[in-house]
């Protein structure tokens, strides 16, 4: 049985589907703070609760062979608004899930870390050996989670790997709320005939990776015994203005950006060096941006925050 924390979330629901498809039984631990149970099919066992609560995490991890830990407060600006809440959910939550996995005798633990740990990385594309310079409470919490995972491997022999996910996008990502991500915000604005909002001048760039590719990476990581940190990105950076241009082409519409001031904590550029993922996991991103945007634009919009 697999435990997927945060399985009712955007990435989590794709991981759950992929795990079911591969023949695994799946239990989800999710507090439904940004998740939506309608993303989960009937055969999934949903435990509604807080992953940072040690007892809840322990009960959820009992009997799990593989633990995929995705539950987190995801947004950088949310962490700037409320650092303590993000730290509790992410840093403490990760420690609680690692302890629960250890107590339950899990064979493998796959954690979602983030490209944000690099901050304004000196080298682009950024290899895993680059010195982390987290620029937000969110990024600090993700880096702390990686260290807890490494320490659990070294001290307790728990098989852990931390995937530094770059910017995931795809069907099921909500455009709503103040912390919505770039791609769903842009697609939603274009759908409504509005001008997509750009924070800053739009030259900042992101390594966008299709969520189906991310789910494949999680399954690949669960199937190996690779340890440490692994970038999960496409290896290509696209500027925010180019994302908007690609989205207008994918949707066959026009849309001029609406510029607002840059947000604190956002980093100027992200781009993965994807070679370690290829070497250790046999994984690389396969869905090109315009194809991914077309698939996303065609999919139903979800209402969850
Ligand atoms: P999401 O908000 O859609 O999913 C997070 C899920 O975790 C939600 O279902 C939420 O209800 C649940 N959750 C939050 N706090 C919880 C808690 N304390 N206990 C139990 N459940 C809790 O976000 P997502 O984009 O699917 O992100 C999934 C993971 O991937 C997160 O760890 C995030 O930090 C990481 N990540 C995402 C991206 C991205 O581009 N989306 C990039 C880098 C890393």
């Amino acid at each position: 049985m697999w435990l997927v924390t945060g399985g009712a979330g955007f990435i989590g629901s794709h991981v759950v589907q992929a795990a079911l498809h591969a023949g695994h039984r799946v239990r989800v631990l999710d507090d439904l703070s940004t998740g939506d149970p309608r993303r989960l099919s009937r055969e999934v066992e949903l435990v509604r609760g807080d992953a940072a609560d040690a007892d809840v995490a322990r009960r959820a991890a009992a009997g799990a062979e593989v633990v995929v830990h995705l539950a987190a407060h995801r947004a950088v600006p949310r962490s700037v608004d409320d650092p303590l809440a993000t730290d509790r959910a992410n840093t403490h939550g990760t420690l609680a899930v690692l302890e629960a996995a250890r107590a339950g005798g899990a064979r493998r633990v796959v954690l979602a870390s983030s490209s944000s740990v690099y901050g304004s990385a000196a080298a682009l594309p950024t290899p895993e050996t680059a010195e982390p310079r987290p620029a937000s409470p969110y990024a600090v919490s993700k880096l702390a989670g990686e260290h807890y995972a490494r320490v659990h491997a070294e001290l307790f022999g728990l098989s852990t790997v931390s995937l530094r996910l770059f910017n995931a996008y795809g069907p099921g990502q909500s455009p709503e709320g103040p912390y919505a991500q770039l791609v769903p915000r842009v697609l939603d604005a274009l759908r409504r005939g509005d001008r997509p909002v750009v924070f800053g001048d739009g030259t900042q760039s992101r390594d966008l990776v299709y969520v189906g590719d991310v789910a494949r990476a999680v399954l690949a990581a669960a199937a190996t015994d690779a340890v440490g940190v692994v970038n999960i990105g496409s290896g290509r950076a696209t500027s925010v203005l180019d994302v908007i241009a690609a989205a207008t082409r994918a949707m066959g519409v026009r849309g001029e950006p609406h510029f607002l001031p840059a947000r604190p904590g956002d980093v100027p550029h992200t781009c993965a060096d994807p070679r370690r993922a290829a070497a250790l996991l046999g994984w690389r991103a396969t869905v090109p941006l315009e194809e991914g945007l077309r698939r996303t634009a065609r999919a139903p919009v979800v209402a969850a925050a």
Side-chain angles (χ1 to χ4, degrees):
M1 186 267 293
W2 282 32
L3 171 66
V4 181
T5 74
F10 161 56
I11 296 174
S13 57
H14 288 270
V15 169
V16 166
Q17 269 316 111
L20 289 172
H21 192 72
H24 304 292
R25 220 156 44 80
V26 178
R27 179 183 294 156
V28 161
L29 171 60
D30 201 299
D31 68 359
L32 304 182
S33 52
T34 57
D36 186 337
R38 289 170 301 181
R39 288 184 170 127
L40 299 173
S41 53
R42 283 264 234 14
E43 65 257 59
V44 175
E45 179 194 353
L46 173 62
V47 178
R48 183 173 183 173
D50 179 2
D53 179 323
D55 292 334
V56 170
R58 195 179 280 244
R59 278 198 299 274
E65 177 203 359
V66 170
V67 174
V68 179
H69 178 48
L70 301 165
H73 287 194
R74 177 202 32 86
V76 166
R78 182 178 183 187
S79 79
V80 175
D81 291 345
D82 193 348
L84 281 171
T86 292
D87 185 74
R88 185 179 182 284
N90 296 9
T91 311
H92 191 73
T94 298
L95 181 56
V97 169
L98 287 165
E99 282 291 278
R102 179 160 81 98
R107 173 183 64 75
R108 183 72 166 146
V109 181
V110 180
L111 298 186
S113 183
S114 163
S115 59
S116 64
V117 301
Y118 293 121
S120 301
L124 293 166
T126 311
E128 290 83 349
T129 49
E131 189 194 345
R133 294 179 192 180
S136 66
Y138 169 76
V140 171
S141 74
K142 286 287 160 181
L143 187 58
E146 288 182 1
H147 283 300
Y148 275 131
R150 178 181 53 75
V151 163
H152 272 68
E154 290 170 5
L155 287 185
F156 308 125
L158 187 66
S159 175
T160 63
V161 66
S162 297
L163 304 182
R164 288 180 173 167
L165 309 181
F166 281 65
N167 281 66
Y169 73 97
Q173 196 171 23
S174 173
E176 290 177 9
Y179 306 129
Q181 301 259 76
L182 172 67
V183 167
R185 278 197 298 103
V186 167
L187 294 180
D188 189 54
L190 295 175
R191 220 177 256 126
R192 293 168 191 267
D194 293 340
R195 292 167 63 192
V197 168
V198 171
F199 297 102
D201 66 4
T203 57
Q204 68 272 34
S205 62
R206 294 290 175 263
D207 183 328
L208 291 162
V209 55
Y210 187 68
V211 69
D213 280 333
V214 174
R216 269 197 313 107
V218 170
L219 264 71
T224 68
D225 53 7
V227 293
V229 295
V230 183
N231 285 341
I232 300 299
S234 69
R236 281 168 205 267
T238 308
S239 75
V240 170
L241 295 180
D242 285 344
V243 171
I244 294 175
T248 58
R249 286 195 301 275
M251 292 177 72
V253 296
R254 296 175 75 83
E256 291 303 314
H258 173 60
F259 292 95
L260 289 179
R263 294 182 299 188
D266 274 350
V267 300
H269 302 288
T270 68
C271 184
D273 180 335
R275 285 175 294 181
R276 192 169 148 88
L280 293 189
L281 310 182
W283 176 91
R284 66 180 181 84
T286 56
V287 179
L289 181 61
E290 285 210 26
E291 169 59 17
L293 289 174
R294 268 194 298 276
R295 291 186 199 176
T296 310
R298 278 199 303 264
V301 177
V302 291

